[in-house]
């Protein structure tokens, strides 16, 4: 089993809340894709969007995984 924890990759990003390039992304413990966290880094930030994503579904998107310890929010 191979798992990437840091660096450039493609990952599912859900864009119901529009994600702009360079937005920070988080993963919630009930979800299967990244969602917008904020325009600035928080303790929940797991990745940075490298392109915009505004679709109301999960789309394979270029991101940069931060590779650091973070908090996974409940919802």
């Amino acid at each position: 089993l191979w798992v990437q924890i840091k660096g450039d990759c493609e990952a599912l990003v859900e864009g119901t809340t529009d994600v702009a390039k360079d937005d920070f992304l988080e993963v919630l413990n009930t979800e299967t894709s990244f969602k917008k966290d904020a325009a600035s880094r928080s303790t929940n930030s797991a990745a940075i969007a490298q392109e915009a994503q505004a679709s109301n579904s999960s789309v394979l998107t270029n991101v940069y995984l931060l590779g650091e310890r973070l908090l996974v929010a409940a919802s």
Side-chain angles (χ1 to χ4, degrees), residues 2 29 33 36 39-40 42 52 58 73-74:
W2 291 89
N29 71 354
S33 59
K36 181 177 179 173
S40 58
S42 78
S58 296

Side-chain angles (χ1 to χ4, degrees), residues 1-3 6 9 12-14 16 18 23-25 27-28 30 41 45 53-55 64 69 72-73 75:
L1 175 66
W2 291 89
V3 178
K6 185 174 182 176
C9 72
L12 289 175
V13 176
E14 203 263 39
T16 301
D18 291 355
D23 276 347
F24 286 86
L25 306 171
V27 175
L28 304 175
T30 58
R41 190 170 181 178
S45 298
Q53 205 298 72
S55 175
Y64 179 83
R69 177 177 259 174
V72 176
S75 59

Side-chain angles (χ1 to χ4, degrees), residues 24-63:
F24 286 86
L25 306 171
E26 68 176 330
V27 175
L28 304 175
N29 71 354
T30 58
E31 301 290 333
T32 58
S33 59
F34 286 106
K35 290 189 171 202
K36 181 177 179 173
D37 183 20
S40 58
R41 190 170 181 178
S42 78
T43 56
N44 298 343
S45 298
I48 302 170
Q50 293 181 320
E51 60 185 328
Q53 205 298 72
S55 175
N56 287 344
S57 60
S58 296
V59 175
L60 205 55
T61 306
N62 291 313
V63 303

